Amino acid sequence: MTQRWPEVLDLLASAVAAGPATVVVDGTDPAVVTSTAQRLASTLSASREAGEDIVRSDASIAIDGGGPRVVVWLRTSRHRHAEEANRGDAADIVVDLHDPAWPVVRHINPRLLDHGWWYLRESRAFFGVRAATWDTKFGDDLPAYAAAVHRAGLPRGGTVLDAGCGTGRALPALRAAVGSEGVVLGLDLTPQMLDVARARGERLILGDARRLPLAAASLDAVFAAGLVMHLPDATKGLRELARVTVPGGHLVLFHPSGRAALAARHGRVLRPDEPLSRSPLTESCSRSGWTLTDYDDGDDRFFALAIRRADR
């Protein structure tokens, strides 16, 4: 058992309410399912009151004879068939086991546990161990970042934030756009990512994009690559980005591959209600103080541009 397993099992146990419940551990690898169910049963036994019996039957853990059903999906492969993807998408809890030695909880149904307090820890766990090799794996998409920044038409001399900057792949292009007289900030919640980004030579902030440590109307533009899909509430996240942006300022949402290609890479099927689908994004922008003016979900990039309205 790795150092991450006790943390993950404690988190899963905290998501199961006290009293009667039935936890179903599911996945495509029977050995992993059985092992995880046994570990979770042991963790729950240690955390329950005396007299609350826990009995494991196949992949189910019955706590005190029934109660609410909680489905835990163990995602062991990025490349899943549609049926498997649907089963995972319907689960209450999703545990990412792409790296068996480093489990990460990727989703918990809000009815079980508030997203806010575990989101930060698990996001850092996921990205922290990948920071050192991130640029080696994805470094060839730097021209795509430069093209997106150029397309956005950012103001010369302006102040721009790269929200969720990661290793800072967009920072050189943002610097070129605003010039030496402009200000470029990079913000990320993972310290290891910022350690790599420091080589880019810009001002970096360790922080959460949902609660920016910046004054209202202090930015001319926000660039966000791959951020919105990770936010628990897209509208609230976009509202916070609007708070720190001046009226008429730009919001650039970007990914160096289209949504369909990205979904295929992760073995899932696109849904029309996803935050970056055109209709939901248009609505969430409108409700949060932005007007969506450009939307391009191509084969080799996702690009959306919104303008900060003056009426919010």
Side-chain angles (χ1 to χ4, degrees):
M1 184 179 293
T2 70
Q3 60 179 336
R4 275 293 294 167
W5 266 114
E7 294 179 57
V8 169
L9 293 170
D10 285 344
L11 179 55
L12 297 183
S14 68
V16 180
T22 297
V23 182
V24 178
V25 182
D26 198 2
T28 57
D29 187 327
V32 173
V33 168
T34 299
S35 174
T36 303
Q38 291 172 339
R39 291 171 175 176
L40 182 55
S42 177
T43 301
L44 286 166
S45 296
S47 65
R48 312 295 287 192
E49 296 291 336
E52 291 184 316
D53 295 332
I54 297 176
V55 180
R56 196 182 71 79
S57 175
D58 295 325
S60 296
I61 304 168
I63 303 171
D64 200 22
R69 189 171 186 263
V70 177
V71 177
V72 179
W73 177 263
L74 305 179
R75 190 165 61 189
T76 54
S77 173
R78 292 183 177 87
H79 305 288
R80 298 173 292 155
H81 298 297
E83 180 182 356
E84 295 171 338
N86 291 335
R87 288 167 64 194
D89 290 343
D92 298 297
I93 300 173
V94 176
V95 182
D96 190 342
L97 292 177
H98 297 167
D99 179 355
W102 198 257
V104 177
V105 178
R106 301 295 280 165
H107 168 75
I108 296 182
N109 190 312
R111 74 177 173 83
L112 299 176
L113 203 63
D114 176 68
H115 193 291
W117 75 269
W118 65 267
Y119 162 80
L120 182 63
R121 186 188 73 180
E122 293 300 296
S123 294
R124 283 176 169 167
F126 180 84
F127 288 106
V129 296
R130 292 164 171 79
T133 58
W134 197 263
D135 285 351
T136 301
K137 188 173 183 179
F138 299 110
D140 59 355
D141 58 22
L142 290 176
Y145 277 80
V149 171
H150 177 75
R151 179 173 177 174
L154 304 182
R156 196 79 176 172
T159 299
V160 59
L161 170 70
D162 184 355
C165 67
T167 58
R169 287 178 293 165
L171 296 179
L174 294 173
R175 169 55 63 196
V178 302
S180 59
E181 64 273 31
V183 176
V184 176
L185 305 172
L187 176 138
D188 202 89
L189 54 74
T190 307
Q192 295 93 327
M193 285 288 188
L194 293 181
D195 287 343
V196 179
R198 286 193 178 89
R200 314 285 188 187
E202 303 294 350
R203 304 182 193 179
L204 301 178
I205 303 168
L206 178 64
D208 188 343
R210 300 172 301 161
R211 301 176 184 85
L212 294 168
L214 298 171
S218 59
L219 302 175
D220 296 294
V222 176
F223 183 90
L227 173 69
V228 173
M229 66 185 71
H230 292 293
L231 296 176
D233 187 316
T235 300
K236 286 183 179 179
L238 293 174
R239 187 175 294 125
E240 174 65 357
L241 299 181
R243 180 187 68 81
V244 298
T245 306
V246 299
H250 292 185
L251 170 65
V252 185
L253 304 179
F254 173 70
H255 197 279
S257 60
R259 293 173 57 246
L262 185 63
R265 185 189 310 166
H266 291 284
R268 63 181 185 84
V269 178
L270 283 177
R271 301 192 313 270
D273 62 343
E274 292 181 353
L276 290 180
S277 294
R278 184 190 289 267
S279 181
L281 182 59
T282 300
E283 176 64 19
S284 59
C285 281
S286 178
R287 293 172 58 194
S288 58
W290 302 96
T291 298
L292 187 66
T293 61
D294 192 355
Y295 184 92
D296 181 6
D297 187 13
D299 294 335
D300 58 353
R301 81 265 166 210
F302 174 86
F303 178 93
L305 178 66
I307 305 300
R308 177 71 165 95
R309 298 200 312 272
D311 62 343
R312 292 293 296 267

